[in-house]
Structures are given as structure tokens and as C-alpha cells.
Amino acid sequence: SQGNIEIRSISPLSGEVYIYNISGQLIGNAELKNQSSKTISVANTKGAVLVKIISHEKTATYKVIII
């Protein structure tokens, strides 16, 4: 099945987004180029994933559940 993760920010971001499964394997990534939203495909993925956003200002990691 097709799954997507949508990144949204109040202000535009430039940097990298990495998506890992709960085992720590990289399952998706994308580049942000002065964008306030981005959709990343994570096909055939269900359950918990970690979304790591690395921008020039900071690094943030979020736990996301895909159903």
C-alpha cells in the first residue's frame, strides 16, 4: 500500500529529511529547498517510524505512526 508523510512548517525550511523504521533502517529521504511543506512517499510501511529533520537552524526527530 502507498503511504506518505507530509512535512509542514510555519516558515520555509532548507535541509534534509530522513525517515527510519523502528529498526533504524533508512526507508526514505528528501531535500527541503526553502519549502514550508513536502510530501515523502514511504510505500509498504506501517507502524512507527522516526522522522529526522536537519536544517541549518536545528535538528529535530519525531515519532510518527503510519496506519
Side-chain angles (χ1 to χ4, degrees):
S1 72
Q2 180 71 20
N4 291 315
I5 292 179
E6 187 171 349
I7 308 294
R8 290 187 186 176
S9 174
I10 294 170
S11 58
L13 296 174
S14 292
E16 297 287 330
V17 179
Y18 299 96
I19 303 168
Y20 300 92
N21 65 16
I22 207 69
S23 300
Q25 296 173 306
L26 182 66
I27 58 170
N29 67 310
E31 186 175 358
L32 296 171
K33 297 179 183 177
N34 201 32
Q35 296 169 278
S36 55
S37 68
K38 179 83 172 182
T39 300
I40 305 164
S41 173
V42 286
N44 301 317
T45 301
K46 287 189 176 183
V49 298
L50 297 175
V51 178
K52 185 175 188 177
I53 302 172
I54 303 172
S55 70
H56 301 296
E57 293 81 31
K58 66 177 186 173
T59 298
T61 303
Y62 303 94
K63 184 176 181 181
V64 178
I65 307 295
I66 299 174
I67 53 172

